[in-house]
Every structure is written in C-alpha cells, then in structure tokens.
Amino acid sequence: LVDLYFATGKVGAVLAPLSVRLAARELGEMLADIEPRLLVVEPPFAETVERALEKSDLSTAELSVLTLPEEVGEPHDEPIDQRGPFVL
C-alpha cells in the first residue's frame, strides 16, 4: 500500500483506498462513485471485488484490475497506461 501512495503521486493519479470490511454491494456502490481506471486488489479480497464489480453500475470496459501476487517481491510485468490521470 505504501508503494501505491508514492506511485500515484509520481504519475499524477488519485489513490482511493477502500475498506476490506465492506460487503460486495457496498464496495460496488463505492466503485461506481469513484469510477476507477485501475483497481489494485490483494489476493484474499479478489473474489469480493469480483462480486462487487458484478453488482455495480460501473462500466468495466476501461477498467484494469490488477491482483497483486501472493508472494512479496514477485514482479508484475504488465505495463500501466500513462496517457491520463488515474483513480486507483
């Protein structure tokens, strides 16, 4: 999470951390309000986020979902589109 704080500042993005205690419905409503372009998810919460996206009014056409690796230090090779501001 600390890496995300620094990374968002570096690329001009906005970080919107969400509580892991939210139900899928509540999380879906918040995601619809935030309208993220990139969603970073820790593995234990991937299923909840998947259900939240199904229940939300959020258009997932322009949404990239990045599930972090289980192991710390494992690299992620997918590039991030840096054409505009992001909401994480």
Side-chain angles (χ1 to χ4, degrees):
L1 184 61
V2 173
D3 292 340
L4 288 176
Y5 279 107
F6 289 110
T8 53
K10 192 135 179 119
V11 299
V14 175
L15 181 67
L18 300 171
S19 175
V20 297
R21 295 183 179 185
L22 294 172
R25 181 187 56 77
E26 297 166 323
L27 187 56
E29 290 172 5
M30 293 185 81
L31 289 170
D33 287 342
I34 295 169
E35 297 180 353
R37 294 207 26 218
L38 174 65
L39 187 58
V40 180
V41 181
E42 292 181 281
F45 311 109
E47 285 183 33
T48 303
V49 169
E50 202 172 293
R51 286 193 313 271
L53 289 172
E54 290 170 0
K55 294 175 186 267
S56 76
D57 295 332
L58 180 66
S59 168
T60 57
E62 293 185 19
L63 176 65
S64 296
V65 179
L66 170 65
T67 302
L68 296 175
E70 293 279 346
E71 296 293 322
V72 175
E74 200 176 304
H76 188 77
D77 296 329
E78 290 183 33
I80 295 175
D81 180 9
Q82 296 185 10
R83 288 180 278 160
F86 299 98
V87 177
L88 299 177

